[in-house]
Structure formats: C-alpha cells, structure tokens
Amino acid sequence: GESVGLHLPTLSVQEGDNSIINCAYSNSASDYFIWYKQESGKGPQFIIDIRSNMDKRQGQRVTVLLNKTVKHLSLQIAATQPGDSAVYFCAENGDNFNKFYFGSGTKLNVKP
Amino acid sequence: DVKVTQSSRYLVKRTGEKVFLECVQDMDHENMFWYRQDPGLGLRLIYFSYDVKMKEKGDIPEGYSVSREKKERFSLILESASTNQTSMYLCASSFWKGSTEAFFGQGTRLTVV
C-alpha cells in the first residue's frame, strides 16, 4: 500500500500564531494531494488540494506547499483560531485516479 | 449543502452476526466510498463504487462486501462480524471519477463483542 505519514502526531499553537502541519508521501506518481480537517465527532471535511504540477496553492487562511524533490507536503494556517482545533489528514491519490491514501493525522490544539 | 447520512451513529453487534451499514447521499454523486478509521492508522479504504452496481476493492476488503443498487445508497456488509472489525466506519461520496473533494458522513462507531 501507499505510505503517507506525518512528522508530528500533535501540534500545539497559540491562538493568532501561524500553524504548519507537515506530511511525507512516498509515491512520486501521485497526481493530487489533499488536506482534510476532522473535528471531534464529525467526518473529515475537504480543505484544499494541490496538483503535482504546482508547488503552492492558497485558499482562505490556508496555504499548501508541495516539494516533490523530497516528497513533502505542508499545510499552513494563518492566524490560527480556536475553531481550527481538529485532526488534519493529508491524502494522495497514488497511481489510481479514484483511490486516495490517507495519512495517520496530526492533531492541532489551539491554545487561547 | 451536500449531505451524506449514515444510518447509525453507534452500533454494538455480537461476533458472527451479519451487519449492515447504510449510507445515503443526496447530491447525485457518482462515487461512493467506505473507509474505516482506527487510531494511528488514518483512514483506510475498504470498497468504493463509481456507478450503480459497480464496485472496486480498496486496500482492506477482506471480511466486507458492499452493495449499490441505487445511485444514492451504498451499503457496507460485514458477513460475519469479528472483534477486529470494531472501528469507526466512514462513508463518503464525490461528484465523479477523479474528484479530490469527498464529502463524508458523520461516521458509525461499530463495536463487536
């Protein structure tokens, strides 16, 4: 199977600071990389994706960076808020257009 | 808003029982998925379907089967439940093949005793 892993299982940040969540992937054939957010008691929710031919993509308060040389993906959250507290998953589609492989997740704790 | 609804939030079943987990989506999505989520393992794909009556195995299909008789409904079946199938089960749907945005249900916490 695919190997999508995270460097840190838990990340604590102060409210208002920027957060950076990292992810390593193993399949250089992956075409898309995605970030999901899962709040307690809910299913994961799509945040942002990036195609392999890009190295940066911005959304609302979030930026995803892709470094294909070292097979590394990161999610940056600007001005982190209490509502950002959740588990964040990265995913890649490997070499199958319809299948996505998820990492084990990073828990983000936002301290007031 | 897209809604993916799983029939039960919590289920407790006995070893050897046949278990049905139901999922319904209301946005005419082509793709539907079943994942299981275990601590430290992320989400692992059990089965997915890209059309009515079509199904493909995911990474951990053993012990499971699925049914998709109607476009909006995707059922996961545990033929003979075992304790190692105790887990959180998540259903998801997406518009079409290759969509990166999947919409998830709230999950079913299944405990097999």
Side-chain angles (χ1 to χ4, degrees):
Chain A
E2 301 293 335
S3 172
V4 180
L6 294 170
H7 294 179
L8 295 171
T10 304
L11 177 66
S12 293
V13 298
Q14 205 70 40
E15 182 179 355
D17 286 352
N18 296 335
S19 303
I20 300 176
I21 302 170
N22 296 303
C23 178
Y25 66 91
S26 62
N27 193 336
S28 54
S30 292
D31 193 30
Y32 277 96
F33 302 88
I34 310 114
W35 284 99
Y36 280 86
K37 172 187 180 183
Q38 185 176 27
E39 296 176 74
S40 181
K42 297 183 179 180
Q45 184 178 16
F46 175 90
I47 302 173
I48 192 168
D49 62 11
I50 187 168
R51 196 163 185 184
S52 58
N53 62 355
M54 303 170 67
D55 52 22
K56 181 178 180 179
R57 190 171 186 210
Q58 288 184 292
Q60 189 176 10
R61 277 201 310 117
V62 296
T63 300
V64 57
L65 299 177
L66 177 62
N67 185 332
K68 293 182 285 295
T69 303
V70 295
K71 296 180 184 173
H72 185 266
L73 185 70
S74 68
L75 178 71
Q76 300 179 2
I77 304 173
T80 313
Q81 302 168 0
D84 295 325
S85 292
V87 176
Y88 290 81
F89 293 96
C90 63
E92 59 174 316
N93 69 339
D95 51 6
N96 185 310
F97 216 32
N98 240 353
K99 293 171 69 171
F100 287 92
Y101 300 93
F102 284 78
S104 55
T106 291
K107 185 173 183 179
L108 177 65
N109 291 323
V110 181
K111 297 178 285 186
Chain B
D1 279 353
V2 174
K3 195 162 186 184
V4 178
T5 303
Q6 295 182 228
S7 55
S8 303
R9 197 69 192 264
Y10 299 96
L11 273 180
V12 180
K13 296 292 182 181
R14 295 194 179 278
T15 301
E17 275 193 79
K18 190 169 186 175
V19 181
F20 294 85
L21 302 183
E22 306 286 346
C23 175
V24 176
Q25 50 95 1
D26 65 358
M27 279 300 291
D28 203 35
H29 286 174
E30 293 184 4
N31 291 344
M32 295 190 76
F33 307 85
W34 275 107
Y35 289 89
R36 65 177 280 177
Q37 182 175 17
D38 300 289
L41 296 178
L43 280 70
R44 292 180 291 167
L45 183 63
I46 305 171
Y47 267 98
F48 67 99
S49 168
Y50 51 86
D51 201 353
V52 176
K53 297 192 187 294
M54 304 300 289
K55 61 184 179 184
E56 282 196 31
K57 292 180 180 179
D59 300 311
I60 52 165
E62 296 79 20
Y64 303 95
S65 62
V66 290
S67 172
R68 195 168 180 199
E69 295 296 318
K70 293 185 178 181
K71 192 173 186 179
E72 68 271 17
R73 188 179 295 271
F74 193 36
S75 303
L76 179 70
I77 304 154
L78 285 66
E79 297 292 340
S80 177
S82 64
T83 54
N84 62 12
Q85 292 179 308
T86 291
S87 187
M88 171 68 81
Y89 289 88
L90 289 161
C91 174
S93 68
S94 64
F95 284 102
W96 49 71
K97 202 170 187 177
S99 295
T100 56
E101 183 174 5
F103 297 84
F104 283 83
Q106 80 278 20
T108 296
R109 171 75 64 184
L110 173 67
T111 302
V112 182
V113 297

